[in-house]
Amino acid sequence: MDDRWDRLFADLEALATPALDEDEIPDMVEAERVAVALADRLAGAVGRHADLLTRAGRRLGGTVQEVGPDWVALAAASSLHVVPLVAVRWVAALDGPSRPSHGAVRASLAAVVRRLARTGLPVVADVDGAVLRGTIVAVGADHCDLATETAVLTVPLAVLDGLRVDALSAGWDE
């Protein structure tokens, strides 16, 4: 009687784990790869050094500090660079594992710009190749208001190539 139970469980186990056809492996690998976004690759690099080039032609390097669905923060010396992913032209040496973001709630670019605004620290904004210095005084859904020495400029987040905050205080962590 034990032999019948063993065969039954062996048959059930065989049904539950179908045989893997070796010809299907490349398709399965490709299907897995196409689901990985740049944000996932960068999230897998948190704590490691990365170099990137922005669409404005600026090369930035630093430790990947934090990653959102549409931005990356790099820490370099006493500065923090927040770069929208649409402004990234390439990233060097993302050879580590990815960290899938599905199921995780991560802050949008507008939310992280709000976070920077709350610090009250001056920022350097790279806007479509122009460099603007000031303080972020308000953030909307798709834009921010930057108070410079001469005016308050409304900057669409879509043209933002990056924000730099120097001598970042603990305000970032709040």
Side-chain angles (χ1 to χ4, degrees):
M1 196 133 149
D2 285 340
D3 188 40
R4 283 190 345 198
W5 285 111
D6 289 341
R7 282 184 292 162
L8 175 64
F9 286 121
D11 288 345
L12 289 173
E13 187 175 329
L15 290 173
T17 55
L20 183 61
D21 183 0
E22 286 188 28
D23 293 338
E24 294 175 347
I25 292 174
D27 292 335
M28 293 171 65
V29 170
E30 183 179 2
E32 189 71 25
R33 183 173 291 271
V34 299
V36 177
L38 178 58
D40 300 330
R41 301 271 316 271
L42 287 162
V46 168
R48 295 196 323 259
H49 184 85
D51 291 307
L52 61 84
L53 181 73
T54 69
R55 65 182 160 203
R58 303 219 196 299
R59 188 172 179 157
L60 303 173
T63 302
V64 178
Q65 189 76 23
E66 197 172 335
V67 180
D70 55 352
W71 58 274
V72 60
L74 297 176
S78 62
S79 298
L80 181 79
H81 298 272
V82 175
V83 181
L85 294 183
V86 297
V88 174
R89 290 300 165 245
W90 54 254
V91 181
L94 276 183
D95 54 2
S98 300
R99 185 169 13 145
S101 62
H102 44 78
V105 177
R106 298 188 298 175
S108 67
L109 178 61
V112 80
V113 173
R114 272 187 214 95
R115 212 161 114 194
L116 286 173
R118 283 193 296 272
T119 69
L121 294 171
V123 299
V124 178
D126 194 348
V127 179
D128 210 18
V131 175
L132 305 173
R133 298 174 192 284
T135 304
I136 302 167
V137 294
V139 182
D142 63 352
H143 66 281
C144 67
D145 289 345
L146 183 69
T148 68
E149 286 184 5
T150 58
V152 175
L153 305 173
T154 299
V155 178
L157 296 179
V159 298
L160 189 65
D161 289 330
L163 289 169
R164 185 183 81 224
V165 180
D166 293 322
L168 191 63
S169 71
W172 170 256
D173 297 327
E174 293 175 354

